[in-house]
Amino acid sequence: QQQVKQSPQSLIVQKGGISIINCAYENTAFDYFPWYQQFPGKGPALLIAIRPDVSEKKEGRFTISFNKSAKQFSLHIMDSQPGDSATYFCAAFPSLGGWDDMRFGAGTRLTVKP
Amino acid sequence: NAGVTQTPKFRVLKTGQSMTLLCAQDMNHEYMYWYRQDPGMGLRLIHYSVGEGTTAKGEVPDGYNVSRLKKQNFLLGLESAAPSQTSVYFCASSYDRNTEAFFGQGTRLTVV
């Protein structure tokens, strides 16, 4: 069973639009929520991460919104560009545990059309 | 600075064959990990190592073995490959248990 549920599985957005990817978790021990970006033929790379003491974190065009009571978090990509086309994974991690306790979502394949 | 390097990048195996995937990191990281990536499943941890000479099971360890004889290398072995092991395999390493891990470029393995 997937401990971190991610949706949608795929997403097509026009250039300049907003891309939104959602994730939900059950385990309340999770307290670190990173997002990874993976280009074809490459390994995942950390994009942005959030801890539950804040409800939002912004880095450039990328924003994580976090809803602790609903146990949900989402990635928003503003002004989406063709270069953002990649697979995005959310993940959840219990800081009292370790990296081996990290759980990943199933991934969202984002295509940004020019 | 190579980071995390995996070899080979692609491999096709017949059912029942064995093979070893090599992961090498040049960042002096203590922790190393092997993941498999399957469509609709995300990344799942197979085995990991917390230092030279140590290994531990992850979420999906069955059918795989690992060894960490040198700090910079982490080997993943398939003793008798099965079609269910067709996947993309990623190695990662981190300085310690709670710091960010860096991934290699992956090995695409097909078992026919």
Side-chain angles (χ1 to χ4, degrees), chain B residues 3 5 16 25 28 37 43 45 60 65-67 72 74 81 88 91 94 97 102:
Chain B
T5 303
Q25 53 95 3
N28 201 33
Q37 184 179 48
L43 287 150
L45 184 64
V60 288
N65 56 75
V66 288
S67 64
Q72 63 268 34
F74 194 29
V88 181
C91 176
S94 64
R97 197 178 181 208
F102 295 87

Side-chain angles (χ1 to χ4, degrees), chain A residues 2-3 9 32 34 36 38 41-46 87 89 93-107, chain B residues 31 33 35 37-45 48 50 59 90 92 94 96-106:
Chain A
Q2 203 113 32
Q3 293 191 35
Q9 193 170 1
Y32 176 70
Y36 290 85
Q38 184 181 25
K42 303 292 185 183
L46 179 66
T87 299
F89 293 94
F93 173 89
S95 54
L96 287 180
W99 190 265
D100 46 287
D101 296 314
M102 177 85 80
R103 294 295 178 263
F104 291 85
Chain B
Y31 285 66
Y33 314 86
Y35 289 89
Q37 184 179 48
D38 302 292
M41 300 295 290
L43 287 150
R44 292 181 293 167
L45 184 64
Y48 65 101
V50 304
E59 286 181 87
F90 286 98
S94 64
D96 61 29
R97 197 178 181 208
N98 295 103
T99 54
E100 190 57 43
F102 295 87
F103 287 83
Q105 292 196 331

